[in-house]
Amino acid sequence: MATSNAVGGVVVAGGVVGATILADPEEASAVGASPSSRVSLTVNGTRRTVTVDNRTSLLDLLREHLDLTGSKKGCNAGACGACTVLVDGRRVNSCLTLAVRLEGAEVTTIEGLTEGDELHPLQKAFIDEDAFQCGYCTPGQILSGVGCIQEGHTNSPEEIREWMSGNICRCGCYVKIVRAVEQTAGRK
């Protein structure tokens, strides 16, 4: 018992913990270092080059590296749409999109929709139609609505609902959201 102790079912003896040899801090950090890459992309019209861990999502790149916090982290599993942004004009769940896969891409976030102090027409329509309550899903809803309009999926309220079904509003503002998209698409 002088050279080892049993504590909670784990034997600790002379620098070995649970059959793992403890390395010095430099060796441990070299072994545990995650691979990283440089990625250059255009975000809201500005070219950005960032070095990120290869596992970094676009959402985390936007929020943590570029301080663009408009896109929200809802479920972080692609089920709620709170993180929706446009990549090369197409809607994507930024929580599921690896940043390193976007070399040369053009990303538009809610912050990039305005023209100076002028709101995007869909942002104005959301205000006109009172299409939000808590506002948490609003950035993703607006970007998804912009994508829906650009893709031409606004021929009926049913079509809008279908094409925006990946965006959840926990407050239940769906009728007003559809009206805002219709207004912006010129259908109302």
Side-chain angles (χ1 to χ4, degrees):
M1 284 280 192
T3 60
S4 66
N5 292 319
V7 181
V10 176
V11 175
V12 179
V16 177
V17 177
T20 302
I21 298 175
L22 299 176
D24 69 49
E26 286 181 28
E27 286 179 24
S29 68
V31 170
S34 300
S36 62
S37 299
R38 289 177 59 87
V39 62
S40 293
L41 60 163
T42 302
V43 180
N44 299 329
T46 303
R47 188 76 173 160
R48 308 294 294 264
T49 301
V50 186
T51 300
V52 293
D53 181 305
N54 288 349
R55 301 167 294 180
T56 301
S57 69
L58 173 57
L59 178 61
D60 288 339
L61 170 75
L62 295 169
R63 292 182 60 82
E64 297 171 14
H65 296 271
L66 303 180
D67 294 323
L68 295 171
T69 56
S71 301
K72 303 300 182 210
K73 188 178 277 193
C75 66
N76 207 30
C80 74
C83 67
T84 302
V85 298
L86 301 176
V87 175
D88 295 330
R90 295 181 49 119
R91 298 178 277 174
V92 301
N93 290 327
S94 62
C95 72
L96 297 180
T97 306
L98 288 175
V100 295
R101 306 270 298 165
L102 298 177
E103 180 65 36
E106 186 165 326
V107 178
T108 304
T109 69
I110 193 71
E111 293 92 344
L113 284 183
T114 59
E115 293 283 334
D117 291 338
E118 187 70 22
L119 292 177
H120 184 278
L122 188 54
Q123 289 172 310
K124 289 179 190 175
F126 261 65
I127 293 168
D128 293 346
E129 296 294 336
D130 195 25
F132 52 90
Q133 282 183 27
C134 79
Y136 196 81
C137 74
T138 303
Q141 293 280 3
I142 290 173
L143 269 294
S144 186
V146 168
C148 193
I149 292 165
Q150 290 174 351
E151 296 160 10
H153 298 298
T154 59
N155 295 314
S156 69
E158 295 76 26
E159 183 178 29
I160 293 168
R161 282 194 291 276
E162 175 67 26
W163 284 91
M164 291 190 59
S165 63
N167 291 80
I168 295 172
C169 174
R170 288 178 174 84
C171 300
C173 293
Y174 297 112
V175 171
K176 294 176 180 182
I177 291 168
V178 169
R179 280 191 215 142
V181 173
E182 284 182 307
Q183 177 183 320
T184 305
R187 289 199 54 252
K188 192 171 181 195

